[in-house]
Amino acid sequence: MLNRRQLTTIIINAITIKMLVTFPRNAIALCGNAAWISAIYCTLIAAGLFWLISAIYTSDKSVIEIAESIGGRWLQMIVGLVVFVVLAANFFPFINIFSEIIKLALLQQTPIEIIVLLLIVAIVLGAYCGIEAIGRVHGLFIPIIGAVFVIFILMLIPAFQIDNIMPVMGNGIYNLFVKNISFLSLFADLLMLNILIPYTKNIGEYKKSGIKGVFIGGAYAIIIFAAYGLSYAYPVSEKFIVPVYQLEKLIRLSNFFSRLEAVFQFVWSISILLYASLYAAVLAEVWRSSFRLKKSKPLILPVTAILVGAALFPGSFSQTIIWEDIINKWIYIPAFLIPIILGIIGRIKRV
């Protein structure tokens, strides 16, 4: 079973992963260096939505199991397939994007095909360890990675300039609080946390871990946006595809330590590999639960093959970025609506 610490670190990692790749780019392009304000606003909304979901859920069942109790096997399969598609769409761009970042920061002379292959092997091996084992590793490593993040921010302080975040409202209030509502996609992995409910001791663990994870993950996003805005003036800040990598390049201890971005990228890579392994295991569990199969481990390899096929479908890195932008604009809607709607219907049926 997953305890509260493991669940909390899982959701923190799932939320913060997107901030390590290309997710912040659209928010900065839309809101300018005031994106940190929008991050505060959307974190509060995400916390409110999760509180609503927590208030609706009273049983230790995932959304797929609730669908079965509402409409039988057919609704169970339909909801399971929808959840699978939503989670897969939320994840598959990472395979291509992460591989490109690794090539840029760590393995510049290595062909991208080799990096993708190694990533696939790592995902499959990690997923075969099982959800509970991955949860225990999360509980061990995420606090360490959090400490590295604190060091990372402290080392960036000399590059901060307060004038860079002026005007405070960036590109306007409408952009901050209306157009950038798609920033809620940062918290789309709360749907994955819902699938892990049967792996917890009770529903209370899920509720407490989720709300804590939302606030800590949101705080991480706020700090990243604030640090990036303080380091780069707008509109220069909207030109970079991977903002965190640009921040890493600002850190220099001396002429002997001028490429510390490789060190930080290595640490972030551990976090991303944990996330990817968990995702493959969870998607296999979604498929098992949807079709009432006995075991999920035999499904890990086919599920990973589906994810890799989807990742390769765009054909190029630029096309992958376009796909990710489209997904991030809309993925938060089904991610929050599915558990809310089914939770409400389930409670009405019980009454």
Side-chain angles (χ1 to χ4, degrees):
M1 303 297 287
L2 296 172
N3 60 36
R4 191 183 306 173
R5 174 190 174 91
Q6 292 163 358
L7 275 175
T8 303
T9 52
I10 282 173
I11 196 60
I12 291 171
N13 193 37
I15 291 171
T16 56
I17 283 301
K18 289 185 177 180
M19 295 300 298
L20 298 177
V21 285
T22 61
F23 184 87
R25 186 173 57 90
N26 283 344
I28 293 166
L30 192 61
C31 305
N33 284 352
W36 63 277
I37 297 176
S38 183
I40 296 174
Y41 168 67
C42 288
T43 298
L44 294 175
I45 293 177
L49 290 171
F50 185 77
W51 175 85
L52 176 61
I53 294 171
S54 300
I56 294 170
Y57 276 76
T58 57
S59 66
D60 299 340
K61 294 183 178 180
S62 70
V63 68
I64 299 173
E65 293 169 330
I66 289 176
E68 180 187 12
S69 65
I70 294 172
R73 187 169 184 177
W74 284 104
L75 185 60
Q76 178 188 20
M77 288 190 292
I78 292 170
V79 170
L81 287 172
V82 172
V83 170
F84 184 90
V85 170
V86 171
L87 290 177
N90 187 52
F91 174 74
F92 82 82
F94 276 84
I95 295 175
N96 199 344
I97 293 171
F98 176 61
S99 300
E100 292 285 351
I101 295 173
I102 289 297
K103 180 176 175 62
L104 176 67
L106 297 176
L107 304 172
Q108 297 177 358
Q109 305 302 319
T110 305
I112 190 66
E113 294 81 5
I114 300 298
I115 298 174
V116 172
L117 180 60
L118 291 174
L119 175 60
I120 294 169
V121 171
I123 292 174
V124 171
L125 291 177
Y128 266 105
C129 293
I131 291 174
E132 294 178 353
I134 298 172
R136 288 193 291 270
V137 178
H138 269 82
L140 176 65
F141 276 103
I142 299 307
I144 297 173
I145 294 172
V148 173
F149 173 73
V150 172
I151 295 170
F152 170 65
I153 295 299
L154 292 175
M155 295 177 72
L156 278 173
I157 291 177
F160 291 173
Q161 294 185 28
I162 194 67
D163 291 343
N164 286 345
I165 59 170
M166 301 298 174
V168 174
M169 289 299 168
N171 293 340
I173 293 176
Y174 183 74
N175 283 4
L176 279 175
F177 300 113
V178 179
K179 293 182 70 175
N180 201 40
I181 194 68
S182 60
F183 185 85
L184 283 172
S185 293
L186 181 70
F187 304 94
D189 288 295
L190 288 171
L191 180 59
M192 178 181 68
L193 185 65
N194 180 282
I195 304 301
L196 297 177
I197 291 177
Y199 286 85
T200 63
K201 295 178 181 178
N202 55 64
I203 192 68
E205 299 290 298
Y206 160 77
K207 295 177 179 181
K208 292 176 181 178
S209 298
I211 198 67
K212 188 175 181 180
V214 167
F215 279 118
I216 295 176
Y220 180 99
I222 294 163
I223 292 170
I224 285 291
F225 275 126
Y228 188 64
L230 288 166
S231 301
Y232 290 97
Y234 185 81
V236 174
S237 56
E238 73 169 324
K239 304 299 181 182
F240 303 116
I241 294 177
V242 187
V244 170
Y245 181 67
Q246 290 302 132
L247 289 176
E248 292 167 359
K249 293 174 70 174
L250 292 174
I251 299 176
R252 299 173 65 94
L253 293 181
S254 68
N255 291 333
F256 297 100
F257 298 98
S258 58
R259 286 207 71 234
L260 284 177
E261 69 270 17
V263 177
F264 287 112
Q265 198 59 53
F266 176 76
V267 175
W268 309 150
S269 297
I270 297 174
S271 178
I272 292 174
L273 288 174
L274 286 174
Y275 171 74
S277 297
L278 178 66
Y279 233 99
V282 168
L283 285 172
E285 173 62 22
V286 168
W287 198 269
R288 184 207 64 78
S289 179
S290 302
F291 295 95
R292 298 182 182 179
L293 302 176
K294 291 184 178 180
K295 296 182 179 180
S296 62
K297 285 188 177 182
L299 299 169
I300 290 173
L301 197 56
V303 164
T304 305
I306 292 172
L307 293 174
V308 173
L312 298 177
F313 175 75
S316 66
F317 182 63
S318 59
Q319 286 295 320
T320 301
I321 296 297
I322 294 172
W323 273 87
E324 190 205 27
D325 291 346
I326 295 171
I327 290 169
N328 285 336
K329 285 182 180 179
W330 306 106
I331 199 71
Y332 71 96
I333 297 176
F336 283 108
L337 280 184
I338 290 172
I340 289 174
I341 292 173
L342 288 175
I344 291 173
I345 295 173
R347 292 203 67 167
I348 291 174
K349 185 171 182 179
R350 284 195 297 273
V351 171

